[in-house]
């Protein structure tokens, strides 16, 4: 009888570890999305001829020609045309 109880405890604990491992794997998945600029706003030239603005932010040109600005969180937000 003691062996039977001992076996139940061992198999029960191993099943709990497997369930906990599966739960941890499923909760680790996180997705990130990039902020997308609104299409209704247009890029406008500011008073300086060399500087463009978008929603009050300075517009930069990336190495492959994409246009972006730095949002309030310090991240690049690309402007779709």
């Amino acid at each position: 009888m003691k062996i039977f109880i001992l076996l139940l405890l061992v198999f029960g604990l191993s099943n709990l570890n497997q369930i906990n491992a599966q739960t941890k794997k499923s909760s680790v998945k996180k997705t990130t999305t990039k902020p997308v600029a609104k299409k209704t706003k247009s890029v406008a030239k500011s008073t300086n001829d060399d500087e463009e603005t978008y929603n009050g932010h300075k517009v930069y040109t990336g190495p492959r020609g994409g246009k972006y600005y730095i949002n309030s969180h310090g991240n690049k937000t690309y402007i779709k045309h």
Side-chain angles (χ1 to χ4, degrees):
M1 185 65 156
K2 290 180 183 179
I3 293 174
F4 180 72
I5 293 173
L6 182 63
L7 288 174
L8 283 176
L9 286 173
V10 170
F11 285 115
L13 291 177
S14 66
N15 286 340
L16 285 176
N17 288 336
Q18 289 175 353
I19 291 170
N20 286 339
Q22 289 173 352
T23 305
K24 286 180 184 177
K25 285 180 184 178
S26 65
S27 65
V28 169
K29 294 179 184 178
K30 292 183 180 179
T31 57
T32 57
T33 57
K34 291 184 179 179
V36 178
K38 294 179 181 179
K39 294 181 181 180
T40 57
K41 303 285 181 174
S42 63
V43 177
K45 291 274 187 180
S46 68
T47 56
N48 299 342
D49 291 335
D50 298 336
E51 189 176 303
E52 293 180 67
T53 60
Y54 182 86
N55 290 344
H57 299 280
K58 181 178 177 183
V59 175
Y60 301 93
T61 303
R64 296 192 298 176
K67 302 222 179 214
Y68 66 92
Y69 65 91
I70 306 297
N71 64 20
S72 61
H73 298 289
N75 299 323
K76 292 179 183 177
T77 302
Y78 282 87
I79 302 168
K80 290 187 177 185
H81 283 99

